[in-house]
Amino acid sequence: MLSEPVTQLKGVGEKAAEDLASLNIHTIADLLDYFPYRYDVYEIRPLSELIHEDKVTIEGRVVHDPTLTFYGRKKSRLNFTIEVEGVAVKAVMFNRAFAKKQIQADQMITLIGKWDAHRLQITVSSYKLGAAEDQEKVNPVYSLKGDLTNIKLKKMIKAALTEYGSQIIELLPDRYLEAYKIPNRKDAVFTMHLPKERMSLKHARRRFTYEEFLIFQLKMQLLRKIKRESTQGNSQHYDSNKIEEFINEFPFSLTNAQKKSLDQILTDLKSPYRMNRLLQGDVGSGKTAVAAIGLYASITAGKQGALMVPTEILAEQHYQSLTELFGDRARVVLLTGSVKGKKRKQIVAAVQAHEADIVVGTHALIQDEVIFSDLGFAIVDEQHRFGVEQRRTLRDKGLNPDVLFMTATPIPRTLAITAFGDMDVSVIDEMPLGRKEIETLWAKENTFERILDFIEKRVSEGEQAYVISPLIEESDKLDIQNAVDLFQQLQDYFPPEVKVGLMHGRLPSVEKEEVMKQFAANELQVLVSTTVVEVGVNVPNATVMVIYDAERFGLSQLHQLRGRVGRGEKQSYCILIAEPKGEVGKERMRIMTETTNGFELSEQDLKLRGPGDFFGKKQSGVPEFKVADMIHDYRALETARSDAQEIIENSLLENDEQFYRLRQYLEQEFSFADKLD
Ligand code: ADP
Ligand code: MG
């Protein structure tokens, strides 16, 4: 049986079983599902066709015995020369001293490695004695631990395939195999381990990519369904006519993306399930407008609304704009840490007595003293700035209020599908008409004086500027020192009427708020800051953003910073000071100067950095796939997602015999109950 332990195999003793266990391989089935992480393809091309820096395979005759040099503590370097097509090619191999004994003059040898066309040199990553013809064309390479070697592991897997291979069962329904023309599970497992040629391997990989995505999507969507259905009804019967009147009074008409997101939010409000939705959209795309309409809908249903934001300044800004927007349609109150004493008591009492309809505030909102009379809809802005606990507290403030999270950090579609599988996602991916695009320039450091003159000129026109100081990742202290130095430098450079402010993470929060207030009131014209510049702060009069050492930031971060300007009528500018060394860095700067679309940038960022880096390693909710690659295989991901949706919506797991195996697998593999909070 496939569930038997690996020790059932001949030649797998206790030590081998231990090594396998450290790879999470316990049963025969685990072993068979342990796929190579790459394949070396031995395909020989003429030297003249090899591309510089590509991974290549060459074969040739060893000209003389290798020479071995040691350096550092455990490091070594093996050098030899082989003759290929009558040309001498240098080979370098690192940290494989043992190979010296195996490689001898006059032997034929096949080398795989990185090609340096200028030096006619290959940096060998793997080699095989003998000419390429004598070898398998596609050679699986597994990741290993302990005493395992690739050869040993291959032997074990071969034995397992011979003895147990016929027992491999299909998980997927026939209809998918047919529709996507993918091989059955058994054939595909054989091909993954014993590939004969590239084409069948491609199809086997395609199969497992789809299988992994489908199972993952099913898991996520089942989870979401269970979460939804475990919460009790909160159907908000809002007044559509009133909402329409309200929207008609706006000085603009909603963009299509706003309309669509609003529709989704209203549907959630009306449905008996609790909303658990993320609203994504670039800075200035009009999320707040949509949120306001949602809040109003809830009020027409007789409920209260809450809007929680990360800072006091933001709270005040939102309070003002909502008060204006609603007029006498709703009673809006502000609750932050600095609302104290009698005033605070009054507000808290008003909330409890339902004499306030909407509460805007910071986390002061979720203190115990604040008791809502009937909270129907809670919105959390810049959700990543709050901890899970804080969000949960807000959610629990009412009888299952609907909850909407908003973020201006555009998350690539592929990541949103996976990372937020248990949340619904709405996206505002278009900007209101008539926005002036921020002009983005890439400058060298030696143009700094010209940049300062440019700032001075903008300031003389009554505008304002941010200057982001160089980032020093390893040291908070140096980071601040940099900001302080730059601050002094600018103060010295500018005439006295240009007031320069300083902002960094170590300032007490009262001071931070004070500096931001002064900047917002144009009492300061230039703000030098580390990257802590408050998210979402709206100073429409600021038109210049200068970012030092821009090459050190990811595209998404640069985009966030750039989003601090371009919020008013006037033309805004973003100046990136960067001297990137590598190609990736240059590519980043180029992309920044070419696009202002946050979603496009985030997709590019993902490609350049990979999913792990995107969210930061620790909090990355990004799953590890064995075969699938989220970026490369995003089409398969979308197919799997819509298949999973169909399966769940039509209860196929329960009702369709073809899905029996899949259901069994899911039940075995995942325990859903404990994932519920
Ligand atoms: P976000 O919260 O996404 O940063 P806001 O909702 O604050 O964006 O909108 C930014 C600005 O654009 C506000 O001044 C708002 O009044 C305006 N705005 C919002 N939607 C539209 C629209 N459809 N057409 C024109 N202007 C809009
Ligand atoms: Mg906003």
mmCIF file of all heavy atoms in Angstrom, residues 65-102:
data_model
loop_
_atom_site.group_PDB
_atom_site.id
_atom_site.type_symbol
_atom_site.label_atom_id
_atom_site.label_comp_id
_atom_site.label_asym_id
_atom_site.label_seq_id
_atom_site.Cartn_x
_atom_site.Cartn_y
_atom_site.Cartn_z
ATOM 1 N N ASP A 65 45.161 17.002 -16.239
ATOM 2 C CA ASP A 65 44.547 16.788 -14.931
ATOM 3 C C ASP A 65 44.223 18.127 -14.279
ATOM 4 O O ASP A 65 44.968 19.092 -14.444
ATOM 5 C CB ASP A 65 45.510 16.002 -14.011
ATOM 6 C CG ASP A 65 45.600 14.543 -14.432
ATOM 7 O OD1 ASP A 65 44.798 14.141 -15.315
ATOM 8 O OD2 ASP A 65 46.460 13.825 -13.899
ATOM 9 N N PRO A 66 43.153 18.194 -13.523
ATOM 10 C CA PRO A 66 42.754 19.461 -12.894
ATOM 11 C C PRO A 66 43.751 19.924 -11.843
ATOM 12 O O PRO A 66 44.441 19.102 -11.232
ATOM 13 C CB PRO A 66 41.421 19.124 -12.215
ATOM 14 C CG PRO A 66 40.986 17.827 -12.760
ATOM 15 C CD PRO A 66 42.191 17.101 -13.241
ATOM 16 N N THR A 67 43.804 21.231 -11.630
ATOM 17 C CA THR A 67 44.572 21.753 -10.500
ATOM 18 C C THR A 67 43.589 22.239 -9.445
ATOM 19 O O THR A 67 42.536 22.795 -9.769
ATOM 20 C CB THR A 67 45.444 22.952 -10.922
ATOM 21 O OG1 THR A 67 44.583 23.921 -11.527
ATOM 22 C CG2 THR A 67 46.508 22.540 -11.896
ATOM 23 N N LEU A 68 43.958 21.996 -8.199
ATOM 24 C CA LEU A 68 43.058 22.304 -7.094
ATOM 25 C C LEU A 68 43.694 23.352 -6.202
ATOM 26 O O LEU A 68 44.839 23.213 -5.795
ATOM 27 C CB LEU A 68 42.807 21.012 -6.303
ATOM 28 C CG LEU A 68 41.892 21.084 -5.091
ATOM 29 C CD1 LEU A 68 40.481 21.483 -5.492
ATOM 30 C CD2 LEU A 68 41.868 19.729 -4.383
ATOM 31 N N THR A 69 42.962 24.444 -5.905
ATOM 32 C CA THR A 69 43.471 25.434 -4.950
ATOM 33 C C THR A 69 42.471 25.595 -3.820
ATOM 34 O O THR A 69 41.264 25.619 -4.062
ATOM 35 C CB THR A 69 43.648 26.823 -5.612
ATOM 36 O OG1 THR A 69 42.804 26.885 -6.758
ATOM 37 C CG2 THR A 69 45.069 27.083 -6.002
ATOM 38 N N PHE A 70 43.011 25.699 -2.622
ATOM 39 C CA PHE A 70 42.151 25.962 -1.475
ATOM 40 C C PHE A 70 42.256 27.418 -1.088
ATOM 41 O O PHE A 70 43.317 28.017 -1.196
ATOM 42 C CB PHE A 70 42.561 25.089 -0.281
ATOM 43 C CG PHE A 70 42.112 23.667 -0.435
ATOM 44 C CD1 PHE A 70 42.957 22.711 -0.995
ATOM 45 C CD2 PHE A 70 40.834 23.300 -0.031
ATOM 46 C CE1 PHE A 70 42.531 21.406 -1.146
ATOM 47 C CE2 PHE A 70 40.420 21.995 -0.180
ATOM 48 C CZ PHE A 70 41.257 21.047 -0.736
ATOM 49 N N TYR A 71 41.182 27.983 -0.664
ATOM 50 C CA TYR A 71 41.228 29.334 -0.112
ATOM 51 C C TYR A 71 40.141 29.443 0.947
ATOM 52 O O TYR A 71 39.206 28.659 0.973
ATOM 53 C CB TYR A 71 41.044 30.380 -1.205
ATOM 54 C CG TYR A 71 39.719 30.296 -1.921
ATOM 55 C CD1 TYR A 71 38.674 31.148 -1.578
ATOM 56 C CD2 TYR A 71 39.514 29.360 -2.926
ATOM 57 C CE1 TYR A 71 37.469 31.064 -2.229
ATOM 58 C CE2 TYR A 71 38.306 29.268 -3.584
ATOM 59 C CZ TYR A 71 37.283 30.132 -3.238
ATOM 60 O OH TYR A 71 36.087 30.049 -3.867
ATOM 61 N N GLY A 72 40.283 30.416 1.828
ATOM 62 C CA GLY A 72 39.313 30.529 2.908
ATOM 63 C C GLY A 72 39.355 29.264 3.752
ATOM 64 O O GLY A 72 40.301 28.479 3.674
ATOM 65 N N ARG A 73 38.353 29.046 4.547
ATOM 66 C CA ARG A 73 38.406 27.900 5.446
ATOM 67 C C ARG A 73 38.078 26.595 4.768
ATOM 68 O O ARG A 73 38.814 25.639 4.834
ATOM 69 C CB ARG A 73 37.498 28.135 6.647
ATOM 70 C CG ARG A 73 38.243 28.893 7.750
ATOM 71 C CD ARG A 73 37.436 28.920 9.018
ATOM 72 N NE ARG A 73 37.161 27.582 9.515
ATOM 73 C CZ ARG A 73 36.099 27.266 10.220
ATOM 74 N NH1 ARG A 73 35.200 28.183 10.476
ATOM 75 N NH2 ARG A 73 35.913 26.045 10.663
ATOM 76 N N LYS A 74 36.951 26.569 4.093
ATOM 77 C CA LYS A 74 36.561 25.297 3.504
ATOM 78 C C LYS A 74 36.376 25.399 2.006
ATOM 79 O O LYS A 74 35.733 24.577 1.398
ATOM 80 C CB LYS A 74 35.227 24.848 4.120
ATOM 81 C CG LYS A 74 35.373 24.251 5.497
ATOM 82 C CD LYS A 74 34.023 23.758 5.967
ATOM 83 C CE LYS A 74 34.117 23.131 7.340
ATOM 84 N NZ LYS A 74 32.797 23.007 7.954
ATOM 85 N N LYS A 75 36.929 26.473 1.439
ATOM 86 C CA LYS A 75 36.607 26.700 0.038
ATOM 87 C C LYS A 75 37.701 26.197 -0.890
ATOM 88 O O LYS A 75 38.883 26.284 -0.562
ATOM 89 C CB LYS A 75 36.365 28.189 -0.180
ATOM 90 C CG LYS A 75 35.168 28.643 0.594
ATOM 91 C CD LYS A 75 34.840 30.060 0.300
ATOM 92 C CE LYS A 75 33.552 30.435 1.015
ATOM 93 N NZ LYS A 75 33.555 31.835 1.379
ATOM 94 N N SER A 76 37.266 25.690 -2.019
ATOM 95 C CA SER A 76 38.251 25.234 -2.986
ATOM 96 C C SER A 76 37.787 25.548 -4.393
ATOM 97 O O SER A 76 36.619 25.836 -4.637
ATOM 98 C CB SER A 76 38.455 23.730 -2.847
ATOM 99 O OG SER A 76 37.318 23.048 -3.322
ATOM 100 N N ARG A 77 38.760 25.480 -5.277
ATOM 101 C CA ARG A 77 38.472 25.806 -6.660
ATOM 102 C C ARG A 77 39.262 24.842 -7.524
ATOM 103 O O ARG A 77 40.456 24.657 -7.333
ATOM 104 C CB ARG A 77 38.918 27.256 -6.881
ATOM 105 C CG ARG A 77 38.851 27.753 -8.275
ATOM 106 C CD ARG A 77 39.548 29.127 -8.294
ATOM 107 N NE ARG A 77 39.715 29.507 -9.676
ATOM 108 C CZ ARG A 77 39.072 30.534 -10.243
ATOM 109 N NH1 ARG A 77 38.308 31.299 -9.527
ATOM 110 N NH2 ARG A 77 39.238 30.786 -11.518
ATOM 111 N N LEU A 78 38.550 24.222 -8.451
ATOM 112 C CA LEU A 78 39.170 23.231 -9.325
ATOM 113 C C LEU A 78 39.203 23.816 -10.738
ATOM 114 O O LEU A 78 38.184 24.274 -11.233
ATOM 115 C CB LEU A 78 38.303 21.964 -9.279
ATOM 116 C CG LEU A 78 38.878 20.647 -9.762
ATOM 117 C CD1 LEU A 78 40.015 20.206 -8.851
ATOM 118 C CD2 LEU A 78 37.788 19.577 -9.758
ATOM 119 N N ASN A 79 40.389 23.810 -11.321
ATOM 120 C CA ASN A 79 40.501 24.333 -12.687
ATOM 121 C C ASN A 79 40.960 23.249 -13.649
ATOM 122 O O ASN A 79 41.870 22.489 -13.331
ATOM 123 C CB ASN A 79 41.556 25.444 -12.754
ATOM 124 C CG ASN A 79 41.057 26.713 -12.132
ATOM 125 O OD1 ASN A 79 40.961 26.815 -10.912
ATOM 126 N ND2 ASN A 79 40.715 27.662 -12.965
ATOM 127 N N PHE A 80 40.341 23.194 -14.798
ATOM 128 C CA PHE A 80 40.876 22.328 -15.847
ATOM 129 C C PHE A 80 40.455 22.868 -17.206
ATOM 130 O O PHE A 80 39.693 23.829 -17.299
ATOM 131 C CB PHE A 80 40.467 20.873 -15.647
ATOM 132 C CG PHE A 80 38.983 20.619 -15.541
ATOM 133 C CD1 PHE A 80 38.279 20.112 -16.639
ATOM 134 C CD2 PHE A 80 38.297 20.861 -14.356
ATOM 135 C CE1 PHE A 80 36.921 19.850 -16.541
ATOM 136 C CE2 PHE A 80 36.938 20.608 -14.257
ATOM 137 C CZ PHE A 80 36.250 20.109 -15.349
ATOM 138 N N THR A 81 40.985 22.248 -18.224
ATOM 139 C CA THR A 81 40.681 22.708 -19.578
ATOM 140 C C THR A 81 40.125 21.529 -20.367
ATOM 141 O O THR A 81 40.609 20.407 -20.215
ATOM 142 C CB THR A 81 41.967 23.204 -20.274
ATOM 143 O OG1 THR A 81 42.580 24.169 -19.424
ATOM 144 C CG2 THR A 81 41.651 23.840 -21.614
ATOM 145 N N ILE A 82 39.107 21.776 -21.149
ATOM 146 C CA ILE A 82 38.666 20.707 -22.042
ATOM 147 C C ILE A 82 38.701 21.218 -23.480
ATOM 148 O O ILE A 82 38.615 22.420 -23.738
ATOM 149 C CB ILE A 82 37.254 20.164 -21.697
ATOM 150 C CG1 ILE A 82 36.170 21.211 -21.957
ATOM 151 C CG2 ILE A 82 37.190 19.675 -20.263
ATOM 152 C CD1 ILE A 82 34.755 20.635 -21.845
ATOM 153 N N GLU A 83 38.819 20.272 -24.367
ATOM 154 C CA GLU A 83 38.867 20.635 -25.774
ATOM 155 C C GLU A 83 37.506 20.360 -26.399
ATOM 156 O O GLU A 83 37.006 19.244 -26.355
ATOM 157 C CB GLU A 83 39.952 19.803 -26.456
ATOM 158 C CG GLU A 83 40.204 20.206 -27.887
ATOM 159 C CD GLU A 83 40.953 19.101 -28.646
ATOM 160 O OE1 GLU A 83 41.899 18.526 -28.078
ATOM 161 O OE2 GLU A 83 40.543 18.814 -29.783
ATOM 162 N N VAL A 84 36.906 21.396 -26.934
ATOM 163 C CA VAL A 84 35.600 21.273 -27.553
ATOM 164 C C VAL A 84 35.704 21.793 -28.986
ATOM 165 O O VAL A 84 36.135 22.930 -29.178
ATOM 166 C CB VAL A 84 34.541 22.108 -26.798
ATOM 167 C CG1 VAL A 84 33.153 21.895 -27.392
ATOM 168 C CG2 VAL A 84 34.555 21.811 -25.319
ATOM 169 N N GLU A 85 35.333 21.002 -29.933
ATOM 170 C CA GLU A 85 35.426 21.404 -31.353
ATOM 171 C C GLU A 85 36.807 21.962 -31.667
ATOM 172 O O GLU A 85 36.942 22.958 -32.383
ATOM 173 C CB GLU A 85 34.371 22.475 -31.692
ATOM 174 C CG GLU A 85 32.935 22.065 -31.446
ATOM 175 C CD GLU A 85 31.991 23.264 -31.470
ATOM 176 O OE1 GLU A 85 32.328 24.288 -32.092
ATOM 177 O OE2 GLU A 85 30.919 23.179 -30.851
ATOM 178 N N GLY A 86 37.826 21.404 -31.067
ATOM 179 C CA GLY A 86 39.183 21.866 -31.340
ATOM 180 C C GLY A 86 39.557 23.159 -30.636
ATOM 181 O O GLY A 86 40.625 23.719 -30.853
ATOM 182 N N VAL A 87 38.678 23.651 -29.749
ATOM 183 C CA VAL A 87 38.945 24.897 -29.032
ATOM 184 C C VAL A 87 39.177 24.565 -27.558
ATOM 185 O O VAL A 87 38.519 23.687 -27.010
ATOM 186 C CB VAL A 87 37.735 25.847 -29.159
ATOM 187 C CG1 VAL A 87 37.948 27.116 -28.347
ATOM 188 C CG2 VAL A 87 37.455 26.166 -30.620
ATOM 189 N N ALA A 88 40.100 25.278 -26.920
ATOM 190 C CA ALA A 88 40.331 25.045 -25.496
ATOM 191 C C ALA A 88 39.339 25.854 -24.673
ATOM 192 O O ALA A 88 39.248 27.072 -24.814
ATOM 193 C CB ALA A 88 41.754 25.453 -25.123
ATOM 194 N N VAL A 89 38.578 25.153 -23.825
ATOM 195 C CA VAL A 89 37.595 25.823 -22.978
ATOM 196 C C VAL A 89 37.997 25.623 -21.531
ATOM 197 O O VAL A 89 38.306 24.504 -21.110
ATOM 198 C CB VAL A 89 36.180 25.244 -23.224
ATOM 199 C CG1 VAL A 89 35.199 25.766 -22.190
ATOM 200 C CG2 VAL A 89 35.703 25.554 -24.633
ATOM 201 N N LYS A 90 37.998 26.727 -20.760
ATOM 202 C CA LYS A 90 38.366 26.613 -19.355
ATOM 203 C C LYS A 90 37.147 26.206 -18.524
ATOM 204 O O LYS A 90 36.037 26.675 -18.790
ATOM 205 C CB LYS A 90 38.905 27.949 -18.834
ATOM 206 C CG LYS A 90 40.334 28.216 -19.296
ATOM 207 C CD LYS A 90 40.816 29.564 -18.820
ATOM 208 C CE LYS A 90 40.255 30.637 -19.735
ATOM 209 N NZ LYS A 90 40.726 31.991 -19.421
ATOM 210 N N ALA A 91 37.408 25.335 -17.555
ATOM 211 C CA ALA A 91 36.319 24.938 -16.663
ATOM 212 C C ALA A 91 36.706 25.263 -15.231
ATOM 213 O O ALA A 91 37.846 25.055 -14.830
ATOM 214 C CB ALA A 91 36.036 23.448 -16.802
ATOM 215 N N VAL A 92 35.757 25.812 -14.472
ATOM 216 C CA VAL A 92 36.001 26.145 -13.071
ATOM 217 C C VAL A 92 34.919 25.474 -12.244
ATOM 218 O O VAL A 92 33.734 25.531 -12.593
ATOM 219 C CB VAL A 92 35.893 27.665 -12.818
ATOM 220 C CG1 VAL A 92 36.433 28.013 -11.446
ATOM 221 C CG2 VAL A 92 36.602 28.430 -13.895
ATOM 222 N N MET A 93 35.328 24.857 -11.160
ATOM 223 C CA MET A 93 34.359 24.180 -10.309
ATOM 224 C C MET A 93 34.665 24.545 -8.868
ATOM 225 O O MET A 93 35.811 24.431 -8.434
ATOM 226 C CB MET A 93 34.504 22.672 -10.517
ATOM 227 C CG MET A 93 33.206 21.919 -10.399
ATOM 228 S SD MET A 93 33.439 20.147 -10.419
ATOM 229 C CE MET A 93 33.967 19.786 -12.018
ATOM 230 N N PHE A 94 33.658 25.017 -8.130
ATOM 231 C CA PHE A 94 33.916 25.458 -6.762
ATOM 232 C C PHE A 94 33.520 24.408 -5.728
ATOM 233 O O PHE A 94 32.505 23.731 -5.878
ATOM 234 C CB PHE A 94 33.154 26.755 -6.473
ATOM 235 C CG PHE A 94 33.726 27.923 -7.225
ATOM 236 C CD1 PHE A 94 33.128 28.381 -8.391
ATOM 237 C CD2 PHE A 94 34.888 28.543 -6.773
ATOM 238 C CE1 PHE A 94 33.668 29.447 -9.087
ATOM 239 C CE2 PHE A 94 35.436 29.618 -7.469
ATOM 240 C CZ PHE A 94 34.830 30.061 -8.627
ATOM 241 N N ASN A 95 34.335 24.312 -4.693
ATOM 242 C CA ASN A 95 34.003 23.506 -3.517
ATOM 243 C C ASN A 95 33.650 22.057 -3.825
ATOM 244 O O ASN A 95 32.758 21.488 -3.223
ATOM 245 C CB ASN A 95 32.858 24.158 -2.739
ATOM 246 C CG ASN A 95 33.184 25.588 -2.392
ATOM 247 O OD1 ASN A 95 34.361 25.913 -2.159
ATOM 248 N ND2 ASN A 95 32.191 26.443 -2.384
ATOM 249 N N ARG A 96 34.325 21.503 -4.798
ATOM 250 C CA ARG A 96 34.136 20.076 -5.019
ATOM 251 C C ARG A 96 35.495 19.410 -5.221
ATOM 252 O O ARG A 96 35.795 18.876 -6.282
ATOM 253 C CB ARG A 96 33.196 19.842 -6.192
ATOM 254 C CG ARG A 96 31.768 19.642 -5.644
ATOM 255 C CD ARG A 96 30.780 19.438 -6.713
ATOM 256 N NE ARG A 96 30.631 20.669 -7.478
ATOM 257 C CZ ARG A 96 29.828 20.780 -8.523
ATOM 258 N NH1 ARG A 96 29.124 19.745 -8.932
ATOM 259 N NH2 ARG A 96 29.734 21.914 -9.166
ATOM 260 N N ALA A 97 36.290 19.508 -4.158
ATOM 261 C CA ALA A 97 37.659 19.017 -4.212
ATOM 262 C C ALA A 97 37.709 17.546 -4.619
ATOM 263 O O ALA A 97 38.607 17.110 -5.333
ATOM 264 C CB ALA A 97 38.332 19.217 -2.861
ATOM 265 N N PHE A 98 36.707 16.802 -4.182
ATOM 266 C CA PHE A 98 36.713 15.352 -4.445
ATOM 267 C C PHE A 98 36.730 15.027 -5.947
ATOM 268 O O PHE A 98 37.159 13.971 -6.366
ATOM 269 C CB PHE A 98 35.503 14.681 -3.788
ATOM 270 C CG PHE A 98 34.188 15.210 -4.308
ATOM 271 C CD1 PHE A 98 33.623 14.671 -5.463
ATOM 272 C CD2 PHE A 98 33.518 16.241 -3.659
ATOM 273 C CE1 PHE A 98 32.429 15.160 -5.950
ATOM 274 C CE2 PHE A 98 32.329 16.742 -4.145
ATOM 275 C CZ PHE A 98 31.778 16.192 -5.301
ATOM 276 N N ALA A 99 36.242 15.977 -6.750
ATOM 277 C CA ALA A 99 36.145 15.707 -8.179
ATOM 278 C C ALA A 99 37.521 15.591 -8.843
ATOM 279 O O ALA A 99 37.655 15.044 -9.930
ATOM 280 C CB ALA A 99 35.320 16.788 -8.862
ATOM 281 N N LYS A 100 38.549 16.107 -8.141
ATOM 282 C CA LYS A 100 39.893 16.064 -8.722
ATOM 283 C C LYS A 100 40.297 14.636 -9.063
ATOM 284 O O LYS A 100 40.915 14.381 -10.082
ATOM 285 C CB LYS A 100 40.905 16.682 -7.755
ATOM 286 C CG LYS A 100 42.340 16.668 -8.277
ATOM 287 C CD LYS A 100 43.249 17.500 -7.393
ATOM 288 C CE LYS A 100 44.723 17.231 -7.636
ATOM 289 N NZ LYS A 100 45.159 17.367 -9.022
ATOM 290 N N LYS A 101 39.921 13.707 -8.175
ATOM 291 C CA LYS A 101 40.301 12.313 -8.406
ATOM 292 C C LYS A 101 39.566 11.702 -9.596
ATOM 293 O O LYS A 101 40.048 10.810 -10.250
ATOM 294 C CB LYS A 101 39.969 11.491 -7.150
ATOM 295 C CG LYS A 101 40.902 11.772 -6.001
ATOM 296 C CD LYS A 101 40.938 10.566 -5.053
ATOM 297 C CE LYS A 101 41.392 10.988 -3.661
ATOM 298 N NZ LYS A 101 40.271 11.208 -2.740
ATOM 299 N N GLN A 102 38.334 12.199 -9.827
ATOM 300 C CA GLN A 102 37.521 11.561 -10.856
ATOM 301 C C GLN A 102 37.824 12.067 -12.259
ATOM 302 O O GLN A 102 37.614 11.371 -13.238
ATOM 303 C CB GLN A 102 36.040 11.800 -10.544
ATOM 304 C CG GLN A 102 35.639 11.180 -9.217
ATOM 305 C CD GLN A 102 34.220 11.546 -8.827
ATOM 306 O OE1 GLN A 102 33.615 12.442 -9.402
ATOM 307 N NE2 GLN A 102 33.693 10.836 -7.844
#
